[in-house]
Amino acid sequence: MNLSKIWLSSPHMGGNEIKYINTAFDENWIAPLGPNVNGFEQDLKDFIGNGKEVAALSSGTAAIHLALIQLGVGLGDEVVCQSFTFSASANPITYQGAKPVFIDSEKQTWNMCPIALKKAIETRIELGKKPKAIIVVHLYGMPALMDDIMELSTQYDIPVIEDAAEALGSTYKNQKCGTFSNFGILSFNGNKIITTSGGGALVCSSEETKKKAVFYATQSRDDAPHYQHSHIGYNYRLSNISAGIGRGQMEVLEEHIALRRKMHFFYKDLFASIEGIQVFEEPNADFYSNHWLSAIKVNPELTNGITREDLRLAFEKENIECRPLWKPMHMQPIFKDSPYYGGNVAESLFNEGLCLPSGSNLTDEDRNRISNVIKKIFN
Ligand SMILES: *Cc1c(COP(=O)(O)O)cnc(C)c1O
C-alpha cells in the first residue's frame, strides 16, 4: 500500500497563472511592482466591491501590521483580538510594542463573542486603557457577527480590523467579508482558497489610505529625487511574479469557492447519520461561508468514546491529513500573561474540533478514501 497524501488544503492552479508570469518575464517586470501587481489589485477590488481600494502586499501578516500602523497603534497601547485564531492575527500587535487583549468566541460562528468584547472594552476603559483597535477574524471562512461587532465599534469609537485571510468570497448579509470596517486583510499563502505562493492584501476604505499603505510598504520614500525618509518604512510590497499567479487564481476563484462548499456538503452527508459529530455550518441564511476548511466537533459521550484524536490518527494511518482546530492565543505560551475575556468556548473547540481535507482539488477517489475511514471507525 502506497497511498498518495491527501492534504488539508493544497495549492490548486487554474492554468493561466503561468501566462501572466511569462508576460512578466517577456516584459522584464521582475520586481515588486508592475502590471501584474496593478492588475491583481484591480481584480480584487472588482471582486470585493463596496467602494474599497486594495493594496497588494507580501503577506496577510504584513497587511495587519500596516493596518495597525495606520490606526496609530504604538508602544504600550492595547489592541483587542479574537483568541481563537492563527497567531498571525495577533503577532503584529507586538511588532508595534502594543499589547493584545484576547476575547473568547461565541458558539454560532466560532468567532469573536460580542458579549465578551463589550465586557473587555468596558473593563479596559475603567483601567484607563481604552483599546486602540479591535481585530476580528472570519475563521475557516465563517463570517463573524459583524452587526454586533460594528455596533460596539461605533458605540465606543474603536476601529475594527477584519482578518479575512481565510474568508475571501464569504459574505454576511450579502456583503463581502473584509469590507465592513476601516481595514480588512486577505492572505494568499499556499494553503488559502487562492494562493500567490505567498502574499496578502490590505482592503482600504479610501484611495488615500491605500496610497499610505503602499508608501509604508515601499520603505516610506518621501517625494524627493534623492532617498529621503520621514517615516520608518517596510519592504512589504507583492512581487510582480507572485501577482501574476494571483491574476490567474482570480479567474478560478468562484469555481474554487463552489468546490470548497461542495466539500462541506460532502461532509454534511457523510456525518448525517453519525451521532456525536457536528459539522460546522452557517447559523442561518445571513451567513455565506466559502468553507475554506471544513471542520467538525466530536462529542465522545455520543460517539461511544471515539475522540477527535482517534479520528485524526485513523486518517493519518491512511495518509490523510487532518488537524485540530486552532489553539487559542490565550492558551499559547507566548501570550500567557495577556488579559483574556470570556469563558471556555474557544478552549473546548480546540479540545473537540478537527479540520478535514477541504481542498478544491480533491477527487472522487479522495472522497472515497475519506468515507472509508469514517465507515471503518463507526462501522
Ligand atoms: C493565513 C492567515 C493569516 C496570515 O496570512 P499570511 O499571508 O500567511 O501572513 C492571518 N490570519 C489568519 C486567520 C490566517 O489564516
Side-chain angles (χ1 to χ4, degrees):
M1 190 182 68
N2 200 354
L3 289 170
S4 63
K5 177 126 182 173
I6 298 178
W7 299 95
L8 201 62
S9 177
S10 67
H12 183 194
M13 292 301 104
N16 283 340
E17 292 83 0
I18 198 74
K19 292 183 191 162
Y20 290 104
I21 292 177
N22 283 333
T23 307
F25 272 76
D26 292 343
E27 296 174 350
N28 205 30
W29 277 108
I30 318 295
L33 77 169
N36 282 339
V37 174
N38 300 339
F40 186 39
E41 284 181 342
Q42 187 63 47
D43 291 346
L44 287 165
K45 184 179 142 114
D46 293 344
F47 180 79
I48 221 141
N50 284 285
K52 297 288 179 176
E53 297 291 332
V54 179
L57 300 171
S58 55
S59 71
T61 312
I64 298 175
H65 191 195
L66 293 188
L68 291 168
I69 289 170
Q70 291 214 46
L71 293 174
V73 172
L75 191 64
D77 287 338
E78 290 190 351
V79 173
V80 171
C81 182
Q82 183 166 323
S83 181
F84 187 55
T85 186
F86 178 44
S87 64
S89 304
N91 283 336
I93 299 168
T94 68
Y95 303 169
Q96 286 305 98
K99 292 177 183 154
V101 173
F102 291 113
I103 308 293
D104 200 5
S105 294
E106 33 79 12
K107 289 179 179 170
Q108 286 184 73
T109 75
W110 297 2
N111 293 310
M112 186 179 271
C113 171
I115 297 164
L117 172 61
K118 186 173 166 66
K119 172 91 183 147
I121 293 172
E122 287 176 349
T123 311
R124 300 324 285 177
I125 289 175
E126 272 170 29
L127 293 170
K129 279 279 177 194
K130 180 175 167 179
K132 270 295 202 48
I134 298 164
I135 301 177
V136 60
V137 188
H138 305 294
L139 217 56
Y140 304 120
M142 186 63 72
L145 297 178
M146 286 316 288
D147 276 353
D148 306 72
I149 308 268
M150 293 314 295
E151 196 179 309
L152 290 169
S153 161
T154 306
Q155 186 185 341
Y156 293 97
D157 193 25
I158 305 172
V160 169
I161 300 168
E162 275 177 273
D163 180 343
E166 302 177 358
L168 182 59
S170 298
T171 63
Y172 174 64
K173 296 186 175 171
N174 291 318
Q175 186 177 335
K176 292 252 162 57
C177 287
T179 67
F180 287 86
S181 62
N182 306 57
F183 290 105
I185 78 101
L186 303 170
S187 169
F188 315 114
N189 208 331
N191 60 352
K192 298 287 161 46
I193 196 154
I194 63 165
T195 178
T196 58
S197 74
L202 185 63
V203 179
C204 302
S205 300
S206 68
E207 184 67 44
E208 190 197 333
T209 47
K210 179 202 163 163
K211 271 198 181 135
K212 244 186 180 163
V214 172
F215 169 77
Y216 289 124
T218 51
Q219 306 291 15
S220 301
R221 273 191 72 188
D222 291 344
D223 192 12
H226 52 277
Y227 277 80
Q228 164 132 337
H229 308 275
S230 41
H231 288 276
I232 291 293
Y234 302 86
N235 183 3
Y236 279 171
R237 201 68 164 126
L238 186 65
S239 146
N240 192 58
I241 304 300
S242 303
I245 306 175
R247 290 180 85 180
Q249 291 272 277
M250 285 305 287
E251 295 177 5
V252 290
L253 173 57
E254 294 285 8
E255 194 182 312
H256 283 199
I257 294 169
L259 289 164
R260 296 257 175 182
R261 287 178 55 82
K262 179 174 157 186
M263 284 309 296
H264 165 73
F265 290 108
F266 161 74
Y267 288 116
K268 283 276 292 172
D269 275 354
L270 183 59
F271 291 110
S273 59
I274 298 174
E275 193 82 29
I277 306 264
Q278 184 200 332
V279 177
F280 183 40
E281 63 185 324
E282 290 96 333
N284 60 53
D286 287 342
F287 299 80
Y288 180 87
S289 171
N290 67 9
H291 288 290
W292 170 61
L293 291 188
S294 287
I296 53 171
K297 256 177 70 178
V298 183
N299 181 352
E301 283 170 21
L302 300 174
T303 57
N304 285 324
I306 294 165
T307 64
R308 184 276 307 281
E309 268 313 272
D310 294 332
L311 281 182
R312 194 183 66 77
L313 293 170
F315 279 116
E316 192 174 77
K317 246 173 82 186
E318 299 297 323
N319 211 17
I320 298 170
E321 184 187 31
C322 293
R323 194 178 297 152
L325 300 186
W326 299 119
K327 181 172 184 176
M329 290 305 111
H330 72 279
M331 296 170 69
Q332 298 285 355
I334 191 71
F335 293 126
K336 66 180 190 323
D337 297 325
S338 300
Y340 171 71
Y341 293 86
N344 63 358
V345 175
E347 184 173 350
S348 62
L349 288 169
F350 171 59
N351 289 330
E352 296 165 14
L354 189 67
C355 293
L356 303 166
S358 307
S360 45
N361 50 4
L362 295 179
T363 62
D364 284 338
E365 193 193 327
D366 295 333
R367 280 182 282 272
N368 272 336
R369 278 173 61 193
I370 293 166
S371 297
N372 287 337
V373 172
I374 293 303
K375 282 178 189 149
K376 212 163 124 191
I377 201 163
F378 288 101
N379 62 353

